[in-house]
Amino acid sequence: MSNVLLIEDDAAIRTSLTRGLRDRGHAVSSAPAALDGLRLAVEERPDLIVLDLGLPDLDGLDLLRMLRAVSRIPVIVATARDGDTEMVRLLDAGADDYVVKPFSAAQLDARIRAVLRRTGESRTDSSVTVGGLRVDPRTREATLDGAPLDLSPKEFDLLHYLAARPGEVITKRELLTHVWQIPYGGADKTVDVHLSWLRRKLGETSSEPRYLQTIRGVGVRLAAPA
């Protein structure tokens, strides 16, 4: 069973989809507006979000960008427009998939299951341990030698992405694509600054690394200290 957050302002659609998804084994919470949905996304950490674009208090695309700034929870966007330009815009903004209105609960259920299989983002995800570093994506908590790390949302996302691939050299382009949702690069300084902040919180420097090792001209890797 997956936990789905439905952000939809139309009460009839919200009720119908909630009933249909629950009948198919999902636990469903819902919000009628963007800011309510953002609050529930942060508080409940659902497995997946279904996001309608036509919300009364905020454009759905703006909410998608806000969600991506704090979370990697998969998002399926519901839209009435099916042109290529619109779809590219949604995917570039961080959507994992989309459905075009009108659609049934059965179709949405199939999309949800496909996205969760593809992303692997669910509440059953286990924590990651590298040396004395432990990162838990379910609670978004990280500890170093048992002491909690005070990380910003983006610092946590960066640390989790690297820790889930211990010893693997990750390029800045890959980090920009998967952590910052910037698919075409062009903001390497953003990565450098966040790595610097992360090193400081891990108690290390670029000249004396413990966990974060820079491979000059290639990228960065996270590995347990020798």
Side-chain angles (χ1 to χ4, degrees):
M1 181 180 70
S2 62
N3 297 293
V4 177
L5 171 59
L6 175 62
I7 306 176
E8 165 65 62
D9 68 319
D10 187 300
I13 294 176
R14 195 167 63 246
T15 299
S16 175
L17 289 177
T18 296
R19 182 184 302 117
L21 292 176
R22 284 175 176 168
D23 287 346
R24 289 166 173 79
H26 301 284
V28 183
S29 58
S30 65
L35 295 181
D36 289 336
L38 181 62
R39 176 181 56 80
L40 287 177
V42 172
E43 291 178 356
E44 296 186 358
R45 305 295 306 167
D47 297 319
L48 182 139
I49 296 170
V50 179
L51 171 62
D52 177 46
L53 290 185
L55 299 170
D57 56 340
L58 191 68
D59 182 76
L61 189 61
D62 290 333
L63 176 58
L64 175 59
R65 294 189 177 108
M66 292 170 69
L67 287 166
R68 279 293 165 256
V70 298
S71 172
R72 289 288 301 146
I73 297 171
V75 176
I76 297 177
V77 171
T79 177
R81 293 164 286 185
D82 60 354
D84 287 346
T85 300
E86 175 71 2
M87 297 307 112
V88 170
R89 188 169 69 115
L90 293 172
L91 294 172
D92 281 350
D96 294 273
D97 201 353
Y98 60 87
V99 286
V100 179
K101 294 181 176 181
F103 57 86
S104 66
Q107 181 184 353
L108 181 58
D109 171 53
R111 295 274 189 164
I112 289 171
R113 288 185 283 107
V115 167
L116 289 177
R117 282 197 303 270
R118 187 168 72 243
T119 63
E121 294 286 343
S122 72
R123 288 191 183 274
T124 59
D125 285 349
S126 59
S127 61
V128 178
T129 301
V130 181
L133 181 66
R134 184 174 182 273
V135 185
D136 191 335
R138 296 166 299 178
T139 61
R140 291 185 66 81
E141 294 175 342
T143 59
L144 179 61
D145 299 327
L149 294 172
D150 183 16
L151 303 177
S152 71
K154 194 57 68 180
E155 288 167 352
F156 180 89
D157 291 340
L158 175 59
L159 180 62
H160 180 235
Y161 192 85
L162 293 169
R165 298 155 181 80
E168 181 179 343
V169 179
I170 309 296
T171 66
K172 293 179 183 179
R173 173 65 62 86
E174 182 176 345
L175 292 173
L176 285 168
T177 299
H178 294 282
V179 178
W180 275 267
Q181 298 297 310
I182 304 175
Y184 305 116
D188 286 7
K189 275 295 182 185
T190 297
V191 177
D192 291 337
V193 169
H194 280 79
L195 284 172
S196 176
W197 291 341
L198 199 51
R199 281 193 176 98
R200 189 179 308 141
K201 293 181 179 181
L202 291 174
E204 60 186 71
T205 64
S206 58
S207 60
E208 296 184 3
R210 293 184 66 236
Y211 285 90
L212 290 175
Q213 304 166 2
T214 298
I215 311 302
R216 189 174 297 278
V218 183
V220 63
R221 70 183 169 200
L222 188 147

